Amino acid sequence: MLQRNQIPSSVDLRNRPAELPSLAETFDAFVTYLLRQYWVILGTAGLCLFGGICYLATAAPSYTALATMIIDTRKLQAFPQQSPVSEAPVDSAAVESQVEILKSENVALTVIRDLKLNEDPEFIGSKAGAAGAVLDFVTGLFAGSAPPNEFDRTRRAVRTFQKQLDVRRRGMTYVIEVSFRSLDPERAAQIANAVADAYIVDQLDSKYQATRRASVWLQDRITELRTQASNAERAVLDYKKTNNIVTSSGKLLNEQQLGELNTQLLHAKSQVTDAKAKLDRIDAVVKGGVPDAAVADSLNNQVITKLRSQYLELANREADWSSRYGYNHLAAVNLRNQMREIQSSIMDELKRLAESYKSDYAIALQRQNDIERAVNDSVSQSQSTNQAQVTLRELESSAQTYRSLYDNFLQRYMENVQQQSFPVSEARVITRASRPLSKSHPQTLVVLALSALGGLIAGLGFGVLRDLYDRVFRTVEMVETILDADCVAIVPRVSPGQLKPPVAGRPNLPVGPRTIQRSDEAVLWAAIDAPFSRFSEAIRSIKVNADLNVTKPSKILGLTSALPNEGKSTLAFVFAQLVAQSGARVLLIDCDLRNPSLSRKVAATAERGILDVLSNNATLQDVLWRDSETGLAFLPGATRSRIAHSHEVLASDQMKDFIDGVRSQYDYVIVDFPPLTPVVDVRITAHFVDSFVFIVEWGKTQVQVVERALRSARAVNENLLGVVLNKADIAAMSRYSGYGGKNYYYNSHYGRYGYTE
């Protein structure tokens, strides 16, 4: 018999900290989602694409004509004019305002009236195409039968016109695009050009009306200003005559004299200041006795210039003689004496200049005093007319104001009259609309692309909803995350067509009265007939996990499920067979006393079972059935009548004593229990079962059912060895996780022997 391998108790794979999925794992999850829901995504996309095709087939084609115009900021005019109405500069907001004017109802009514669109069926009649006919029929059911009047037709035409008109600004330029969509290409170009023309006419008309209103107001204002200006000028003349005020060139005579005297006074003060500065400077030089000091007039004096030249020549000669013959040489001493005489002459000349400066200063000062006296006399003379001058200035200012207003308004009136006869608009058409060559709506490629894209997005959304509401167990990760339990095995689904007949040449095995015979359900012997299949490997995984359970011995194993028909009985028999085939002593007990389906499959003729053993009506050896191929011992759950209180039987001391007795006789005792949800039998069996194996049908058993069943059976949950996903579709599992995509289970090298499911 194979020995049990143990792993250290410190290793706990379920308690590892959760890690964020990597980019590769996220991409793998997305790929599996697409593989899982591809038919929903493609089906939804196909339906939307079919709807787009139907729309293209039924929608009437329409054509769009485009005209472009510009808001010309240069305002080129034949005659330079200035409008009496203030005009704001054309900026971005102004261009957007013109766009709204083009969309306005005023322009629409003008075009509708000129082209008689209120009589065109396209604008007031039925919709075109099959879709339009259906819409008209539905609308007609709720509309009245009375024919529309002129007002109703016009309002319908305006509503349709504004829907089909599109006006937009081209980028950040002053260019405006006017496009119109119609069923007739010629009609579309005609209406687009009419909209541009109607807008320009509307602008010219609005300017004409504004100019005309301004002209009427200017006429009245000019007449009033003419009278006011004449009265003000007459008042100025009368006041001058009354107060004997004489003016020259628009100024009083005493004011002119005072201005001239002030100018002369300023010039005299400037001359006094200059003379005083020269006098002070030359006095300082004379008092200091420095003949070499620079004075502006001395530099221009020929005498001083000549003396300074002689002095410099003697100084050079003295320096030469002193260097040659010594400082005290007679010739050097004579030269220095001559130099002192020249310095004395220079000082005399400077003193003469100082006397001349004194005379100039006295003359300038006298002139300043005379002019100041004249200014004072002029000021005293003008004081008598100050009050008259103030009043005169007020009268002149009023007269000048009225005259300026009159001239300005008169000029504006003349310009307004000219502009009235030649109005100019800032907008002009730069490209007139022409007949479009191809339809603009519906756009085939755009409709198909949007239909396909919308279908793909809707399909992705439907797929996500299906995943959200698909609350069944499909992956190992779901089992471990939701139930906090190990998934010990994934048993693939085995269909009858995949089962192989027994190998030819199998030796004849003895057949006894209580020998298990092969039944019509070949899946019970699938692991024996195909030991290298995935089915067999999954069953072996249950035994390996039981052997590696180091927390407590797993000699007594109980198999149960949440609901009936999840394959627990079949799995219990196949598991027991496979363990017995390895050489272990295995006892399989059918404890589903309410519905002993396993006993009916492998021991249909059994008349006695576990109840007879517990009641001491028979010994264990008297009721055991054996499998001649594997040596498996099977204790059926045959009963003569249905037992209402089967849970009391399983909870009895006799049951515990019986299990304790067979524990020493067999290496493994496998118990097939009833499901948890319908009956309560399993909840009171923890006193003699070491570990439980919980069977969940893949893709069918609801998560909330399993959670509720395990919560109600706390003893089963606390002694749970693991969960088995039964009847799994291995190919489909690859679309729910990386389980099948990793090829470690679905690999053909490990699945080519035996069954492929």
Side-chain angles (χ1 to χ4, degrees):
M1 183 183 66
L2 299 175
Q3 299 295 324
R4 298 184 181 182
N5 297 321
Q6 297 183 351
I7 61 175
S9 59
S10 60
V11 178
D12 189 355
L13 300 179
R14 288 186 300 171
N15 294 330
R16 290 184 300 181
E19 297 179 356
L20 293 176
S22 63
L23 182 61
E25 292 173 340
T26 304
F27 178 76
D28 184 58
F30 180 70
V31 171
T32 56
Y33 162 76
L34 294 180
L35 293 175
R36 183 169 61 253
Q37 303 292 347
Y38 73 93
W39 63 273
V40 175
I41 299 173
L42 294 180
T44 306
L47 289 176
C48 292
L49 188 60
F50 178 74
I53 294 174
C54 293
Y55 171 73
L56 292 173
T58 57
S62 59
Y63 302 85
T64 301
L66 176 66
T68 57
M69 56 192 310
I70 186 173
I71 307 299
D72 197 348
T73 57
R74 295 175 299 175
K75 297 183 180 179
L76 298 179
Q77 300 179 3
F79 304 100
Q81 302 171 3
Q82 182 179 4
S83 174
V85 183
S86 61
E87 297 180 354
V90 180
D91 55 2
S92 180
V95 176
E96 296 295 337
S97 300
Q98 300 307 311
V99 170
E100 295 302 321
I101 293 176
L102 280 163
K103 296 179 181 178
S104 65
E105 188 173 307
N106 188 24
V107 175
L109 288 173
T110 301
V111 177
I112 292 172
R113 182 181 61 253
D114 293 342
L115 300 181
K116 295 181 173 51
L117 299 182
N118 56 350
E119 300 176 2
D120 192 334
E122 180 182 351
F123 294 87
I124 63 173
S126 59
K127 306 295 186 299
V134 174
L135 182 61
D136 289 338
F137 175 75
V138 175
T139 307
L141 295 177
F142 301 95
S145 58
N149 53 26
E150 180 70 20
F151 176 78
D152 293 337
R153 291 198 305 271
T154 303
R155 296 315 303 172
R156 289 183 184 180
V158 169
R159 184 168 57 251
T160 305
F161 183 91
Q162 291 180 337
K163 287 181 180 179
Q164 298 176 192
L165 176 66
D166 183 23
V167 182
R168 64 183 62 187
R169 181 184 183 184
R170 182 180 293 177
M172 297 302 295
T173 65
Y174 294 137
V175 176
I176 298 178
E177 297 179 347
V178 180
S179 61
F180 193 85
R181 181 164 57 90
S182 175
L183 300 177
D184 184 4
E186 295 288 350
R187 194 68 161 172
Q190 182 186 17
I191 295 176
N193 292 325
V195 170
D197 294 339
Y199 166 75
I200 294 176
V201 171
D202 180 75
Q203 294 294 302
L204 294 175
D205 183 67
S206 63
K207 285 192 174 185
Y208 175 79
Q209 295 297 332
T211 305
R212 189 173 62 83
R213 288 192 297 268
S215 298
V216 174
W217 181 81
L218 283 173
Q219 286 179 351
D220 297 337
R221 185 60 177 157
I222 286 172
T223 302
E224 181 182 357
L225 288 174
R226 184 188 301 114
T227 303
Q228 292 176 347
S230 299
N231 294 335
E233 291 174 351
R234 189 177 297 108
V236 171
L237 295 176
D238 293 342
Y239 187 80
K240 286 183 177 181
K241 182 178 180 181
T242 303
N243 293 276
N244 296 320
I245 299 175
V246 180
T247 61
S248 176
S249 300
K251 293 185 179 180
L252 297 175
L253 292 178
N254 57 350
E255 289 181 352
Q256 294 180 359
Q257 292 176 358
L258 184 60
E260 294 175 357
L261 290 175
N262 284 329
T263 303
Q264 295 176 6
L265 180 60
L266 292 175
H267 183 66
K269 286 183 178 181
S270 175
Q271 291 179 345
V272 170
T273 303
D274 293 342
K276 184 68 169 66
K278 292 179 179 180
L279 178 61
D280 292 341
R281 175 59 179 162
I282 200 166
D283 286 343
V285 171
V286 172
K287 290 178 181 179
V290 183
D292 291 337
V295 180
D297 289 345
S298 67
L299 297 177
N300 299 324
N301 191 291
Q302 295 180 358
V303 175
I304 295 176
T305 302
K306 184 177 180 181
L307 291 175
R308 286 173 64 88
S309 299
Q310 295 175 0
Y311 179 83
L312 292 175
E313 183 181 356
L314 292 175
N316 291 332
R317 292 171 59 189
E318 188 275 334
D320 183 45
W321 282 97
S322 296
S323 61
R324 289 183 180 183
Y325 305 106
Y327 182 77
N328 295 322
H329 191 272
L330 181 60
V333 172
N334 290 332
L335 291 173
R336 286 194 291 271
N337 291 332
Q338 293 178 11
M339 291 170 60
R340 281 192 292 272
E341 290 177 359
I342 292 174
Q343 287 180 346
S344 177
S345 298
I346 293 174
M347 290 299 298
D348 292 340
E349 186 65 24
L350 289 175
K351 290 178 181 179
R352 189 186 66 79
L353 285 175
E355 292 299 328
S356 177
Y357 284 170
K358 286 181 181 180
S359 177
D360 293 341
Y361 173 68
I363 294 172
L365 187 60
Q366 182 62 36
R367 184 182 178 186
Q368 176 183 345
N369 293 333
D370 293 342
I371 294 175
E372 286 180 349
R373 283 193 298 271
V375 170
N376 292 333
D377 293 341
S378 179
V379 170
S380 62
Q381 291 176 3
S382 63
Q383 287 178 353
S384 60
T385 58
N386 283 341
Q387 185 65 35
Q389 291 177 2
V390 172
T391 305
L392 179 62
R393 290 192 185 95
E394 292 178 356
L395 293 175
E396 289 177 343
S397 176
S398 177
Q400 185 178 3
T401 301
Y402 282 123
R403 177 57 61 183
S404 299
L405 287 174
Y406 173 75
D407 294 340
N408 187 23
F409 273 75
L410 183 60
Q411 181 182 2
R412 298 290 292 275
Y413 174 75
M414 297 304 296
E415 293 175 352
N416 193 30
V417 171
Q418 294 178 5
Q419 188 174 3
Q420 234 180 323
S421 61
F422 191 77
V424 178
S425 174
E426 292 83 4
R428 60 187 177 89
V429 177
I430 57 178
T431 303
R432 297 190 66 82
S434 59
R435 181 183 183 277
L437 299 178
S438 60
K439 69 175 184 177
S440 61
H441 181 83
Q443 299 180 3
T444 304
L445 295 180
V446 174
V447 171
L448 294 179
L450 291 178
S451 300
L453 180 61
L456 289 176
I457 295 175
L460 291 172
F462 290 154
V464 171
L465 290 178
R466 291 186 77 251
D467 277 354
L468 291 177
Y469 286 97
D470 187 24
R471 297 292 294 167
V472 294
F473 290 98
R474 295 189 182 274
T475 63
V476 174
E477 291 80 6
M478 290 184 64
V479 173
E480 295 178 348
T481 302
I482 298 175
L483 301 181
D484 193 21
D486 292 331
C487 183
V488 298
I490 300 178
V491 180
R493 178 184 296 275
V494 178
S495 61
Q498 296 171 325
L499 297 176
K500 294 183 179 181
V503 179
R506 181 185 298 273
N508 295 327
L509 300 175
V511 178
R514 292 193 304 275
T515 302
I516 298 176
Q517 300 295 324
R518 287 179 176 260
S519 62
D520 295 336
E521 296 189 21
V523 67
L524 296 173
W525 285 267
I528 303 300
D529 295 339
F532 299 104
S533 64
R534 296 189 186 93
F535 183 82
S536 301
E537 288 299 322
I539 304 301
R540 292 190 187 97
S541 178
I542 303 175
K543 179 180 181 300
V544 171
N545 281 272
D547 294 341
L548 294 178
N549 188 11
V550 297
T551 57
K552 61 184 298 186
S554 299
K555 191 172 184 179
I556 311 298
L557 292 176
L559 276 70
T560 184
S561 62
L563 298 173
N565 300 322
E566 294 192 62
K568 64 171 182 60
S569 298
T570 301
L571 208 61
F573 182 77
V574 175
F575 174 58
Q577 267 194 328
L578 200 62
V579 175
Q581 190 183 34
S582 65
R585 295 172 299 170
V586 181
L587 174 62
L588 175 61
I589 305 176
D590 186 2
C591 283
D592 191 354
L593 302 180
R594 298 285 188 92
N595 182 27
S597 59
L598 181 58
S599 299
R600 291 195 296 267
K601 293 178 181 179
V602 300
T605 59
E607 298 179 355
R608 295 183 295 178
I610 187 173
L611 293 179
D612 297 294
V613 176
L614 295 178
S615 61
N616 295 324
N617 293 331
T619 62
L620 178 61
Q621 299 301 325
D622 293 337
V623 298
L624 280 180
W625 286 61
R626 295 190 180 276
D627 183 14
S628 56
E629 295 185 34
T630 60
L632 171 66
F634 174 63
L635 179 58
T639 58
R640 297 181 180 86
S641 61
R642 299 185 64 182
I643 302 176
H645 303 286
S646 56
H647 65 284
E648 295 182 358
V649 176
L650 298 178
S652 63
D653 295 335
Q654 291 85 349
M655 184 66 185
K656 185 176 185 308
D657 294 339
F658 170 72
I659 294 298
D660 292 339
V662 299
R663 185 187 293 270
S664 59
Q665 300 177 21
Y666 294 92
D667 298 321
Y668 294 93
V669 178
I670 301 171
V671 184
D672 179 22
F673 285 115
L676 288 174
T677 302
V679 294
V680 298
D681 295 4
V682 189
R683 305 179 189 179
I684 40 83
T685 58
H687 63 290
F688 64 85
V689 176
D690 296 335
S691 300
F692 289 92
V693 177
F694 195 82
I695 311 300
V696 175
E697 185 173 354
W698 181 89
K700 185 175 181 181
T701 307
Q702 296 291 326
V703 172
Q704 59 269 26
V705 174
V706 176
E707 289 179 330
R708 190 182 305 112
L710 290 177
R711 281 197 303 268
S712 63
R714 182 172 299 178
V716 175
N717 195 14
E718 292 176 352
N719 296 284
L720 190 62
L721 175 65
V723 178
V724 175
L725 283 178
N726 194 26
K727 303 179 184 179
D729 187 348
I730 301 301
M733 283 189 67
S734 63
R735 299 195 295 268
Y736 288 91
S737 69
Y739 184 85
K742 300 299 182 181
N743 290 329
Y744 63 84
Y745 190 81
Y746 194 64
N747 195 289
S748 60
H749 295 289
Y750 294 94
R752 56 187 175 184
Y753 300 106
Y755 309 119
T756 59
E757 291 290 344

